[in-house]
Amino acid sequence: LRTSLKVHTSLHTSAGTNVVAAREEGARKDVTDEKDGHKSLYALQAERQGQAERSVLISYHSRINEKKFLKYLSRHGDINKYFFYESYGIYAVVEFGSRDSVASLLEETAIPSVNHEAMVPFKSRLLSLKNLGSADSPNQQSGPQCQPQTTVPINQLIQTLSKEGSIDQQVTSLTEAYQLTEENSRLRFLVCSLLKDIAAAYFPECTVRPFGSSVNGFGKLGCDLDMILDLDGISGRKTKMFMHQQIPDLIFADMPKQEPEFLTVQVDAASLLTFNSTVHLIPRSGLSLEYQLKRANSERSATQSILSVIGECVDQFGPGCVGVQKILNARCPLLRFAHQPSGFQCDLTANNRVAIKSTELLYLYGELDPRVRHLVFTVRCWARTHGITSSIPGAWISNFSLTVMVLFFLQRRSPPIIPTLDHLKDLAGPADKSVIEGNDCTFVSDFSKIQLESNTETLEQLLHEFFEFYATFPFSKMSINIRKGKEQNKPEVAPLHIQNPFEISLNVSKNVNATQLERFVALCQESSWLLQQSETSTPREPLFNCTTHGCLIGAWHRITSNQSLRASATVVVCTFFFSLDSREATSIQHQPDQAP
Ligand code: CTP
Ligand code: MG
């Protein structure tokens, strides 16, 4: 208790000195925590948020000399990191060593003067670089080296995968090619930070944090950016009043000699379960002040009002934010818009704490065993290629549902590759306790407490078994349940029932219709059969040297093991594994006897 208070105590003496102030965020978890070689999601997020707040996003001209640009900026302070990328023009992300440098840079930044148009003079950290001097030397005209922010072009991926010697290597290689890069992750946090600056006009203490696949370890380059406007950090929110006599002795460990007149002690909810909340001590005088606040009918309607106003602000004042839609009547109200400079499709929600927990859970599962992420990436990719998933909302299976299906499958292996959620809950310590709107979201955060069983199955085996598992799963009667790690009787009539891990009365895949489920099952059957063909062909035919990529999910198996297909003049492989979305839809014309 005392140790915890050393960090959490915020003491205002009669002289008004703030002796120790710690952000609740840091107090909840040790942000430097790195156990068993795994960085906690809190640690990762805190690091990325810090970087984002010290960063600016600058629209750049390729003709400008890079060195000159950096020299110009470094007049404001040391630059920690910078990179360039392309999205409707070239942009530079520049992270300074301190926020003072950003302030100094903004101080010097001008508001453009335009004669014929009116501008909203909203200052943000999205800037444009102007070159008022002479043009740079011709050898600079090639422009800076840009970091890719989208998946590699399809042909390039095929080339990469076709050099791999096995399905296991291909799966690994596919994950590496698709997963978010360091730069893309930084850019995601920077966009959150820019959004925070807009929302901060109303709520200066708010935070905007990413969730979902941007941070759970399963994000593919180009995936949407899910964000939460977090108002929980607003000081004084969620407080309970206690007379300090009720906690004798508690608060005096690190106090200055003189008796404080007014005392605020913020106590970590988890480590002080007795109080179960942030504690606010009533001053000795017995008086205190409260803010007068507008009341809303419900938490939901408060969230809708806040998002509506922020949506207006983003739409009218937010540089680079276009196509703002307010989707306020959804189960989870949200704002949807495109952030043009980053190229991200953004969804901003508020008061969505359960989603943060499910992001943490997915992150934890992904960190437990590398096969988890590999399999999720591959299955998602396979599903997208076959049109089982789509970027457009509809009656199809979502990526989130697919991920939960992969996790469930891995829990059902013998021995299991990952533990059940109930087991993770049993391992939880007091600091992990979390109940959100009546939903128990408790699970262990300390990776070192989790003992894994020794399952040695290869990725190829697992991929095959995954298809086999769902090709024969009793969807009509049973529900997928990662909490129990065992299928349960379906509580309601829905073609596909996947219990939400935390809001257990909800079906994650409520949107899925019977046709879509049937397509999924049929494709699982086909893919399972195709993989089986490759396993049983003896001697195992090395697929065309340059087409090993085809063995990954299938069509090439059929092509190369079937004489009549092989003999056909031209094999047209289209919408196969790699035509991942409509932008990339490619048809590959391939003469069977030639390397593509
Ligand atoms: N979520 C949920 N229940 C759902 C849908 C989503 O709890 N029915 C939560 C999950 O935490 C999910 C997050 O909202 O990760 C974001 O949803 P979504 O963008 O649909 O999925 P992602 O996991 O981000 O995957 P994608 O790459 O397709 O965006
Ligand atoms: Mg998402």
Side-chain angles (χ1 to χ4, degrees):
L1 204 58
R2 279 173 195 274
T3 319
S4 133
L5 280 169
K6 272 183 199 158
V7 185
H8 307 312
T9 308
S10 169
L11 166 68
H12 303 272
T13 64
S14 49
T17 330
N18 194 349
V19 179
V20 184
R23 291 288 317 265
E24 197 198 347
E25 172 76 12
R28 271 207 308 259
K29 299 270 170 180
D30 179 0
V31 293
T32 59
D33 183 17
E34 190 164 343
K35 291 197 173 93
D36 209 19
H38 296 277
K39 212 170 204 181
S40 79
L41 188 56
Y42 278 98
L44 265 177
Q45 298 217 27
E47 186 183 344
R48 288 267 181 260
Q49 263 168 23
Q51 291 165 346
E53 283 169 13
R54 296 189 300 269
S55 300
V56 290
L57 182 53
I58 304 177
S59 163
Y60 183 84
H61 277 282
S62 57
R63 290 203 173 183
I64 293 172
N65 181 300
E66 191 177 320
K67 277 198 187 129
K68 184 169 142 186
F69 168 65
L70 293 171
K71 196 171 163 204
Y72 171 71
L73 293 183
S74 54
R75 290 179 302 119
H76 300 281
D78 292 341
I79 292 172
N80 278 359
K81 158 124 188 157
Y82 70 93
F83 63 91
F84 298 91
Y85 71 90
E86 213 168 343
S87 165
Y88 305 102
I90 295 178
Y91 283 86
V93 172
V94 181
E95 184 213 337
F96 283 97
S98 93
R99 290 177 72 171
D100 292 346
S101 306
V102 175
S104 157
L105 178 92
L106 295 182
E107 188 90 354
E108 191 186 90
T109 302
I111 290 192
S113 58
V114 279
N115 293 332
H116 306 295
E117 283 175 298
M119 295 265 185
V120 179
F122 179 82
K123 291 181 170 178
S124 79
R125 284 176 287 141
L126 173 60
L127 313 170
S128 298
L129 182 66
K130 300 284 162 197
N131 191 7
L132 305 173
S134 56
D136 289 317
S137 58
N139 63 355
Q140 286 301 325
Q141 291 187 5
S142 57
Q145 200 197 343
C146 287
Q147 300 295 327
Q149 306 301 321
T150 49
T151 46
V152 289
I154 187 65
N155 291 341
Q156 198 178 320
L157 181 67
I158 291 171
Q159 288 296 320
T160 309
L161 296 191
S162 57
K163 290 187 192 116
E164 304 293 358
S166 69
I167 292 183
D168 278 49
Q169 284 164 358
Q170 289 178 333
V171 168
T172 311
S173 190
L174 175 109
T175 310
E176 280 162 11
Y178 275 179
Q179 68 192 354
L180 302 184
T181 58
E182 151 93 16
E183 286 78 17
N184 193 265
S185 173
R186 281 171 173 265
L187 188 55
R188 284 171 189 270
F189 277 85
L190 178 51
V191 172
C192 289
S193 176
L194 295 176
L195 253 288
K196 181 228 144 129
D197 288 352
I198 298 176
Y202 292 101
F203 304 105
E205 295 170 280
C206 74
T207 316
V208 173
R209 34 177 116 251
F211 72 103
S213 62
S214 294
V215 276
N216 66 16
F218 301 114
K220 173 191 156 207
L221 280 172
C223 70
D224 68 353
L225 173 56
D226 304 296
M227 295 175 276
I228 294 181
L229 172 66
D230 186 352
L231 304 179
D232 288 346
I234 293 180
S235 55
R237 250 192 139 197
K238 315 253 165 215
T239 55
K240 281 188 183 168
M241 294 298 215
F242 284 93
M243 295 301 290
H244 72 44
Q245 291 92 319
Q246 283 183 265
I247 40 173
D249 189 39
L250 182 72
I251 47 183
F252 300 109
D254 296 311
M255 300 277 172
K257 292 277 184 294
Q258 76 269 28
E259 271 271 281
E261 181 191 301
F262 182 82
L263 201 55
T264 307
V265 180
Q266 293 186 335
V267 184
D268 174 11
S271 51
L272 195 58
L273 288 172
T274 333
F275 299 107
N276 201 24
S277 179
T278 301
V279 177
H280 184 94
L281 293 181
I282 294 176
R284 288 171 201 288
S285 68
L287 299 176
S288 76
L289 286 169
E290 278 183 354
Y291 288 99
Q292 286 199 13
L293 302 175
K294 196 108 185 170
R295 284 176 203 279
N297 292 335
S298 62
E299 192 129 11
R300 177 178 168 82
S301 88
T303 302
Q304 287 169 327
S305 312
I306 292 167
L307 282 179
S308 175
V309 173
I310 302 292
E312 238 12 80
C313 226
V314 170
D315 193 21
Q316 307 289 334
F317 307 152
C321 300
V322 299
V324 178
Q325 297 172 57
K326 295 178 186 178
I327 308 173
L328 302 179
N329 289 324
R331 187 182 70 77
C332 183
L334 73 137
L335 296 177
R336 180 163 287 169
F337 57 93
H339 186 260
Q340 260 185 352
S342 62
F344 294 141
Q345 183 64 37
C346 301
D347 279 351
L348 179 68
T349 59
N351 192 22
N352 192 6
R353 298 176 197 103
V354 180
I356 294 185
K357 291 310 284 188
S358 69
T359 301
E360 279 178 43
L361 179 70
L362 261 52
Y363 175 81
L364 182 140
Y365 275 131
E367 287 289 292
L368 286 182
D369 187 302
R371 288 172 294 181
V372 179
R373 289 182 68 240
H374 290 316
L375 208 60
V376 169
F377 268 92
T378 308
V379 169
R380 282 184 170 201
C381 191
W382 163 85
R384 185 58 182 265
T385 307
H386 289 292
I388 295 172
T389 54
S390 163
S391 59
I392 307 157
W396 20 84
I397 300 175
S398 69
N399 274 334
F400 180 60
S401 296
L402 265 185
T403 306
V404 179
M405 289 170 93
V406 173
L407 296 179
F408 182 73
F409 160 74
L410 294 173
Q411 289 174 334
R412 301 296 291 142
R413 301 310 300 149
S414 180
I417 292 181
I418 50 171
T420 66
L421 179 50
D422 270 346
H423 182 67
L424 295 179
K425 184 182 156 192
D426 293 342
L427 296 175
D432 297 321
K433 178 118 185 103
S434 167
V435 179
I436 300 168
E437 289 154 19
N439 300 301
D440 191 346
C441 302
T442 306
F443 63 92
V444 66
S445 59
D446 182 351
F447 290 87
S448 66
K449 286 192 192 161
I450 305 167
Q451 297 288 321
L452 297 175
E453 304 204 39
S454 70
N455 175 310
T456 53
E457 285 172 294
T458 65
L459 288 166
E460 179 176 357
Q461 284 167 330
L462 289 171
L463 190 58
H464 184 187
E465 293 293 335
F466 172 86
F467 293 135
E468 191 63 36
F469 183 80
Y470 285 112
T472 53
F473 189 84
F475 286 107
S476 60
K477 291 198 200 93
M478 305 309 265
S479 158
I480 289 163
N481 186 315
I482 60 163
R483 180 163 282 281
K484 303 262 173 261
K486 203 164 184 313
E487 50 265 37
Q488 306 287 307
N489 287 328
K490 258 203 229 179
E492 61 187 51
V493 189
L496 176 59
H497 194 280
I498 304 174
Q499 191 193 59
N500 186 306
F502 297 119
E503 296 172 286
I504 57 174
S505 62
L506 297 181
N507 175 10
V508 165
S509 53
K510 195 176 150 195
N511 61 313
V512 177
N513 66 18
T515 313
Q516 291 303 321
L517 180 64
E518 280 159 21
R519 288 193 57 229
F520 172 76
V521 172
L523 281 161
C524 282
Q525 285 165 352
E526 182 173 321
S527 297
S528 165
W529 181 81
L530 290 167
L531 281 176
Q532 196 174 352
Q533 299 309 300
S534 91
E535 281 163 15
T536 52
S537 60
T538 48
R540 198 158 161 196
E541 190 174 339
L543 302 174
F544 299 165
N545 281 344
C546 293
T547 59
T548 327
H549 65 275
C551 75
L552 191 54
I553 308 287
W556 282 118
H557 292 288
R558 193 152 43 164
I559 293 159
T560 54
S561 58
N562 181 318
Q563 206 53 45
S564 61
L565 269 176
R566 200 193 296 213
S568 66
T570 304
V571 180
V572 179
V573 182
C574 69
T575 67
F576 178 52
F577 191 77
F578 302 105
S579 53
L580 299 177
D581 60 37
S582 53
R583 272 176 316 179
E584 296 161 3
T586 311
S587 78
I588 306 152
Q589 293 231 339
H590 172 47
Q591 300 292 333
D593 297 330
Q594 294 169 3

